[in-house]
């Protein structure tokens, strides 16, 4: 299976003359590592394993790997292009003739994570124009390790059938509402050294799918870790060595040394590692010998996919990679499907990177499609909210949790789909409803800045903040897991909490007004600064006099503002929140009221027609009416869309206080407070 070479000249000579079924040369790799991987040899070619659609080989112009790249190009019959810098990658792709596989040779330090991001960006520009190829990187700390990665890739199709086609090692999850494919699944409680050790180090796995907390050098399981080096390894660079290199103990004090799982002992052909900083192209937090990706690649792994940054933790990415491989895609195309989805959905960065030959095909079992495939070019803009709505749409269509994947023509081919439709909009009001609730919470929070305080105001605010945070976490989590039901439950809970908060605000306004002469505008005038007044049409609806408009703004929080219309006779006839959905409030009815009678008052409300339907709370009262013998109904909830008129009946006691009063009507909508006022006279019969 392998031929060990003494020096570079011998290695390059053997690589140049490589025969299809002959041994593959390696340079300077210990015999124990060769033997461990050679033990997987089946003695025959298990699958086609050949490159599909041609390959373009690229290498930095002054790289020590240039000879290796040239030798491989000669052996496989593919052109080799040198790059003066990573910025030339896009032009090289253009000259590749639509090659299916883009293979880049580079030692650690020759390409940075920034270069990889730029190369992926350049590739994506061409994918949007119809390019369908994928990218793989042959990299490592030195030529010997790169030769080892190349050799494992070239002999991958000779390996015997795996003991386990797929093992899912997902210690970052307690449960999964939906997952596809057969094979062992280890969640947080299952990820103990005793339970997973056999599958990782004793059994041969075609694909190991990892979803775990981690960093450059470690993956965290339940009662153990997977690390690249471990205690007993002398520090290669004292300033960049993990603590175990000095103490001989794991930094997680409860883990004994013998329980640690070494990454190079994991017997997997292909790894997809969805973990923070799971891939490095050179020194990161620690020196190269301690890096997790390099540890796995020192073992039997022929391909490794990871991300060189902090990830958001979206398990759907593992499902996309797995389904692409179950559909017969190469590891390069499966990685492309993950990145293309992230380009559209924008729930994480689209720079998952493959270390290995992009044309390898994992020996996973074929299966029925399990993802809801959507055309990314015809879907709504990315982000958590849009992704959450798509998840809800797909769940409504299938009546069960499901993962939605956004695709380009390239990734649809990787997933074995000929086409994909735009997502059906089965939850069209959800984005508007969520944003309406957000505006309501903002508005409710502004009352205190206007000087209006009432019982439980602080508790209500804390509860709303907690529920908002819970909904946001649930949306991102449900996008990851496909569990749309959790979004619906959290959204319903938040809607009820906002409705209750608006009701309590309306009740507080009504309660304050009916028991005192302190008006809402008396409070905010002590806080807000006035702007100039201007004559404003229409004239006063009660007496026909000219009205004047005036704006008031908060001096510290200028987003908080009020727009008023005042009449010299009737006072402030309209007082609206400047940023709210209410555009008009007025009161109609008789100006003279009589003791012992009932009077109908109509509250006329206008709202922004573009803001859609919304619940609102309304109330009407005269100042200090509870003590003056005039009663009004409790606040009531209405549905408001466009304009609405509501008639409310006031009841006057036979001994009601006979005097000139001010009648006030208010609307609480989207958390904002809006008032109308007019004078009335109470007279004896």
């Amino acid at each position: 299976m392998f031929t060990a070479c003494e020096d570079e000249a011998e290695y390059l000579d053997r690589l140049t003359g490589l025969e299809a079924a002959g041994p593959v040369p390696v340079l300077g790799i210990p015999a124990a590592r060769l033997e461990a991987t050679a033990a997987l040899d089946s003695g025959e070619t298990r699958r086609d394993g050949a490159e599909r659609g041609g390959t373009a080989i690229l290498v930095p112009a002054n790289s020590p790997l240039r000879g290796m790249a040239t030798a491989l190009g000669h052996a496989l019959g593919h052109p080799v292009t040198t790059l003066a810098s990573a910025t030339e990658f896009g032009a090289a792709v253009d000259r590749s003739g639509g090659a299916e596989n883009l293979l880049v040779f580079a030692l650690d330090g020759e390409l940075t994570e920034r270069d990889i991001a730029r190369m992926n960006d350049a590739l994506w520009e061409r994918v949007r124009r119809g390019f369908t190829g994928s990218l793989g990187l042959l990299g490592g700390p030195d030529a010997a390790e790169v030769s080892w990665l190349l050799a494992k890739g070239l002999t991958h199709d000779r390996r015997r059938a795996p003991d386990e086609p797929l093992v899912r090692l997902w210690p970052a999850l307690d449960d999964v509402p939906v997952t596809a494919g057969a094979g062992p699944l280890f969640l947080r409680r299952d990820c103990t050294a005793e339970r997973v050790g056999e599958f990782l180090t004793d059994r041969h796995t075609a694909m190991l799918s990892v979803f775990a907390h981690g960093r450059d050098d470690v993956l965290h399981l339940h009662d153990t870790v997977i690390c690249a080096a471990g205690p007993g390894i002398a520090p290669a660079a004292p300033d960049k060595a993990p603590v175990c290199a000095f103490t001989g103990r794991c930094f997680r004090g409860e883990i004994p040394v013998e329980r640690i799982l070494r990454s190079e002992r994991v017997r997997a052909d292909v790894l997809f590692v969805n973990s923070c900083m799971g891939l490095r192209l050179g020194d990161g937090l620690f020196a190269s010998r301690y890096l997790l990706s390099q540890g796995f690649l020192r073992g039997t792994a022929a391909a490794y996919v990871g991300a060189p940054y902090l990830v958001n933790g979206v398990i759907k990415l593992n499902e996309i990679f797995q389904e692409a491989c179950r559909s017969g895609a190469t590891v390069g195309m499966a990685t492309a499907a993950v990145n293309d989805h992230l380009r559209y959905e924008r729930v994480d960065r689209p720079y998952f990177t493959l270390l290995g030959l992009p044309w390898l095909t994992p020996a996973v079992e074929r299966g029925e499609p399990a993802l809801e495939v959507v055309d990314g070019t015809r879907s709504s803009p990315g982000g958590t909210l849009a992704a959450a709505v798509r998840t809800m749409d797909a769940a409504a269509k299938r009546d069960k949790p499901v993962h939605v994947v956004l695709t380009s023509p390239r990734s649809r081919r990787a997933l074995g789909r000929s086409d994909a439709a735009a997502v059906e909009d089965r939850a069209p009001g959800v984005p508007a409803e969520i944003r309406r609730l957000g505006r309501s919470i903002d508005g409710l929070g502004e009352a205190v800045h206007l000087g209006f305080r009432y019982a439980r105001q602080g508790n209500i605010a804390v509860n709303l903040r907690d529920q908002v945070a819970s909904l946001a976490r649930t949306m991102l989590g449900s996008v990851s897991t496909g569990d749309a039901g959790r979004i619906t439950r959290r959204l319903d809970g938040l809607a009820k909490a906002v409705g209750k908060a608006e009701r309590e605000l309306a009740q507080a306004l009504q309660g304050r007004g009916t028991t005192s002469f302190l008006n809402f505008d008396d409070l905010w005038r002590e806080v807000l600064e006035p702007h100039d007044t201007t004559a404003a049409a229409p004239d006063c609806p009660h007496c026909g006099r000219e009205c004047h408009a005036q704006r008031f703004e908060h001096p510290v929080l200028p987003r908080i503002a009020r727009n008023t219309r005042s009449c010299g006779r009737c006072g402030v006839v309209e007082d609206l929140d400047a940023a709210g959905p209410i555009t008009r409030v007025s009161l109609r009815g008789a100006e003279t009221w009589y003791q012992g009678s009932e009077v109908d008052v109509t509250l006329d409300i206008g709202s922004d027609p573009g803001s859609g339907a919304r619940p609102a709370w309304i109330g009407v009262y005269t100042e200090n009416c509870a003590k003056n013998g005039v009663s009004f109904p409790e606040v009531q909830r209405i549905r408001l869309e466009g304009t609405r008129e509501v008639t409310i009946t006031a009841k006057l006691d036979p001994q009601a206080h006979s005097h000139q009063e001010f009648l006030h009507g208010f609307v609480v909508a989207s958390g904002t407070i809006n008032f109308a006022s007019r004078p009335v006279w109470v007279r004896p019969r």
Side-chain angles (χ1 to χ4, degrees), residues 305-329:
V305 180
Y309 47 78
L310 296 172
V311 301
N312 286 336
V314 180
I315 190 61
K316 177 163 61 175
L317 306 183
N318 296 64
E319 297 283 356
I320 294 172
F321 188 87
Q322 292 161 198
E323 177 142 327
C325 292
R326 285 200 308 273
S327 301

Side-chain angles (χ1 to χ4, degrees), residues 510-532:
Q510 180 99 339
R512 178 76 59 85
T514 59
T515 58
S516 75
F517 291 100
L518 186 64
N519 297 315
F520 180 60
D521 67 311
D522 293 330
L523 297 173
W524 62 248
R525 285 177 189 275
E526 295 180 351
V527 178
L528 305 187
E529 57 186 16
H531 289 219
D532 293 338

Side-chain angles (χ1 to χ4, degrees), residues 244-471:
C244 61
F246 303 97
T247 65
R249 299 185 301 275
C250 181
F251 77 100
R252 281 178 57 178
E254 78 279 11
I255 299 177
V257 172
E258 60 272 14
R259 197 189 295 162
I260 294 172
L261 302 175
R262 303 292 177 85
S263 55
E264 68 181 62
R265 293 186 56 207
V266 172
R267 302 178 71 205
D269 297 341
V270 174
L271 292 102
F272 181 84
V273 178
N274 190 353
S275 175
C276 290
M277 300 178 288
L279 179 142
R280 289 291 188 202
L281 303 180
D283 288 3
L285 293 173
F286 305 106
S288 178
R289 69 182 301 178
Y290 302 108
L291 298 180
L292 191 70
S293 53
Q294 295 299 336
F296 280 117
L297 292 175
R298 285 194 292 270
T300 64
Y304 179 97
V305 180
Y309 47 78
L310 296 172
V311 301
N312 286 336
V314 180
I315 190 61
K316 177 163 61 175
L317 306 183
N318 296 64
E319 297 283 356
I320 294 172
F321 188 87
Q322 292 161 198
E323 177 142 327
C325 292
R326 285 200 308 273
S327 301
T330 64
V331 289
M333 290 302 293
T335 306
V338 170
N339 285 332
D340 288 3
H341 169 79
L342 290 174
R343 292 282 178 180
Y344 293 118
E345 191 160 85
R346 295 204 330 260
V347 294
D348 214 328
R349 299 171 65 189
Y351 301 126
F352 276 79
T353 300
L354 164 65
L355 291 175
L357 300 179
W359 61 79
L360 302 188
T361 306
V364 296
E365 296 176 347
R366 301 296 185 261
E368 291 297 319
L371 302 178
E372 182 78 8
V373 173
V374 173
D375 185 349
T377 64
R378 291 191 285 164
S379 65
S380 54
T384 300
L385 178 55
V389 173
R390 277 190 295 269
T391 301
M392 297 173 73
D393 291 338
K397 177 181 177 181
R398 296 197 180 197
D399 196 27
K400 64 180 181 180
V402 63
H403 288 298
V404 179
V405 53
L406 302 183
T407 59
S408 67
R410 171 176 75 161
S411 54
R412 279 197 292 281
R413 189 161 60 90
L415 290 164
R417 311 295 180 89
S418 59
D419 57 10
V423 69
E424 295 181 46
D425 196 359
R426 296 169 182 262
V430 170
E433 173 68 1
I434 289 176
R435 293 198 169 98
R436 183 192 71 77
L437 293 173
R439 287 192 294 270
S440 296
I441 293 167
D442 282 343
L444 289 163
E446 291 176 0
V448 67
H449 297 299
L450 293 169
F452 186 70
R453 297 180 180 276
Y454 54 97
R456 297 191 67 253
Q457 188 175 29
N459 292 339
I460 292 171
V462 170
N463 177 53
L464 289 175
R465 285 199 299 268
D466 289 346
Q467 294 216 37
V468 167
S470 178
L471 175 60

